[in-house]
Amino acid sequence: MNNQDLIARFREKLRAAGKEGKYARKFMPEDEERVCKAFALALENASLSETLLFELLTGEKT
Amino acid sequence: MKLEKLVVQNIGIYRDKRTFDLSGELTVFYGPNFSGKSTLVKAIYFALAGKVLSTGLKPPALASANTPSGTVGLFYQHQQKNFRIYRSTKADLQIDQAAGEQWVRCAAGDAAVLPALNPQQWRTGCFLHEDELGEFLVQQPATRRELLNQLLGVESLLKAQEIFIQVRRLAKRREKTALGLQESLRLDGMADRSVELQTLKTAVAKSAARLQALHETPSDNMPDERLRQAWEQAKTAAQTRLAQWQQQLDAARAGFNTREELAGLLEQCTQQLAQRDHAKRELEACTDLRITLTSQLRQIEDTLAAMQGLQGREACPTCQQSLSSDLIAKLVSDYEARRETILRERESVEAKEREARETLQMLDDLSRKQSELERRLQQWQQIEMELTAAQTEMETWETKLAALAPLSPADESREKLQQELDAQRRRLAELEREQMLYEQRRQAILSANRQAETVIKHRLLSEWAADAVARTVQAVVGISLKQAEAEITTCLQSFGLFRSQPQKIDLEQSQLLPDIDGRALQTLSGSEKTILYLSMKIALSRLMPGADFLVLDDPTLHLDATRREKLRDYLLGSTPAKQIVIFTNDQDFAGLFASAKRFDL
């Protein structure tokens, strides 16, 4: 399973989780897009720091 | 990927170049101990992975003794194309693709050239080497977990999951900090004073206006006050003038302590200037005398020239009278002496004339200085008069002001109003300061609330992402393992390993050491272990795209005749999906594969 397959599967899981419980109606499509981009980057770069990933995830500088 | 041909040179016992045809579904190499079977297995692995199959050895260890380097060539089919890979124990690598009868060089690392499997995946998915089972059993659980992840190709996914978990922790820490700040920021008795502040501002404005009106409104009850104000103003003006005149006096008296000193200097100037007429007359006399002497000198020189012209003549050229040479010589001598006298006299007069001119020049300068001193003296006198007048005026106003009556009742009322206004203004300043502090704190609380909302959202977002990653991992690993576990179960069933009903194999839970009928793998017999491990290996190799062959080195260890036959059946059943290459020293086992291509080493 290559990275593209993993990202597609991750997006699927993200959407499914986004419809459930505490996550329901809390996020916008742009949030999903940002999270998927962060996931793709984390897959490609194992040494990514959590601070940088947090910034990518939230779109805000820490 | 299917193997086609193996070429070795200077590898182990194979010093000369040897070629082995591996094409076809099944190839069996038979040979006793030390015949070079394991060397060929290692050569195939080295060609593909660039590493040595045995743990702890480096590629140069594969080369034959006393040779600088060994070379392995492996010809194979991949995605319906033919390739060959040559690798030396000195780390040289060349991959070529067949193009008709030519070979074209390819770039290493391209999945279209060679399946993108890591050394561990090649090792586990395609090779069963001697002692492998023993090495596997002594591995730590964490190592086996890592091995499983490597085999499943989910290392990057698991690393990503770790980072997302760390991000979730980071978000929680930030949330805790922000909520702590939000909790700590309170108004602590501070109140919004804006209404009170506005009321007080209005009151101050009213009081100030009332006081101003009282000052401006004419009132018969306050004549003394108006008079006082007028006199105060006049006194202030007199003071200002006094200061101005004092400044001018300081400027005028520069260089002199008293006016008498200036007057004394002026007197001295006047006395010296009295000599100016005398000096002027003396200069004129000298000038006249010099002119006269110059004229006389010119006449003497003319006469002398005439006399000198007569010398040596016997008669005068004009009157023809006879001339005495002695007389002429005496006259010339007299005139010359007289000329010298006049010259000296004229020089003396010129010196006196220069002196007189310098004296006159000095007196002219003194005259100009006298004029300046006279002007300053007059100015000084005038300023002193003005000063005296201003001083007198000021004293007059002071006297008058001192004589005025004390404050009237109306004045006292105004004073009271002024005091009230001052108190109101002080209270206003205090209220403004309190209101400013209140506003600052309120803004800080609002900011902390906004920050808390943001970090709560960030925490939720990071949890959402981490949950999704966990679900992805679970799904990917679960799907892969489910296939492998089913495969292993079938394999074990075919070997008759289950004593009762087939049980589910859980590779993840058991960390690659599954139980059989409730018995731990370590407690199984040697043959059971071999069968379980072999079936697990074949099953896991199916998870790796490209691992389409299996190279087995002495797979029959611990197996009895019945199990050998079952193994043969299982391996034959794996073809043609799997290409099988067997290396064995078991002649009976080798003989079980009648249809296989066979090499006797």
Side-chain angles (χ1 to χ4, degrees), chain B residues 35-43 53 129-130 553-554 583 601:
Chain B
S35 58
K37 300 188 298 297
S38 297
T39 303
L40 294 179
V41 173
K42 287 173 187 170
L53 197 54
H129 68 95
E130 54 187 358
D553 188 10
D554 276 338
F583 292 81
L601 300 175

Side-chain angles (χ1 to χ4, degrees), chain A residues 1 6 9-10 13-14 17-18 20 22-23 26-27 31 35 39 42-43 46 48 50 53-54 57-58 60 62, chain B residues 156-157 159-160 163-164 166-167 170-171 174 454 458 460-461 463-465 467-469 471-472 475-476 479:
Chain A
M1 192 171 277
L6 288 175
R9 193 162 285 256
F10 173 75
K13 298 291 174 190
L14 192 69
E20 296 171 4
K22 61 182 179 181
Y23 308 126
K26 291 280 198 251
F27 302 108
D31 292 322
V35 172
F39 176 72
L43 275 184
L48 195 69
E50 71 262 31
L53 187 64
F54 182 84
L57 209 57
T58 60
E60 286 189 13
T62 54
Chain B
S156 58
L157 179 61
K159 288 251 176 13
I163 305 175
F164 272 88
Q166 287 169 3
V167 167
L170 175 69
R174 287 168 57 84
T454 306
H458 288 172
L460 198 61
L461 183 74
E463 283 182 350
W464 181 40
D467 276 4
V469 175
R471 290 179 190 204
T472 307
V476 170
I479 289 168

Side-chain angles (χ1 to χ4, degrees), chain A residues 10-56:
Chain A
F10 173 75
R11 189 184 289 275
E12 207 176 277
K13 298 291 174 190
L14 192 69
R15 279 186 187 159
K19 291 174 187 168
E20 296 171 4
K22 61 182 179 181
Y23 308 126
R25 291 184 298 279
K26 291 280 198 251
F27 302 108
M28 307 292 287
E30 52 264 31
D31 292 322
E32 179 190 306
E33 203 53 43
R34 232 178 21 254
V35 172
C36 285
K37 279 183 182 171
F39 176 72
L41 205 67
L43 275 184
E44 287 165 9
N45 190 352
S47 60
L48 195 69
S49 75
E50 71 262 31
T51 312
L52 183 57
L53 187 64
F54 182 84
E55 289 177 6
L56 292 169

Side-chain angles (χ1 to χ4, degrees), chain B residues 49-63:
Chain B
K51 292 182 180 296
V52 182
L53 197 54
S54 304
T55 312
L57 292 178
K58 301 279 182 190
L62 293 176

Side-chain angles (χ1 to χ4, degrees), chain B residues 231-248 386-387 389-391 393-395 397-398:
Chain B
W231 287 358
E232 283 284 357
Q233 288 173 359
K235 181 190 161 190
T236 306
Q239 275 181 324
T240 307
R241 282 202 304 280
L242 192 63
Q244 288 171 347
W245 285 120
Q246 190 62 49
Q247 285 178 354
Q248 290 190 25
E386 293 289 349
L387 262 175
Q391 183 70 34
E393 188 183 350
M394 203 184 71
E395 285 171 1
W397 292 125
E398 280 177 347

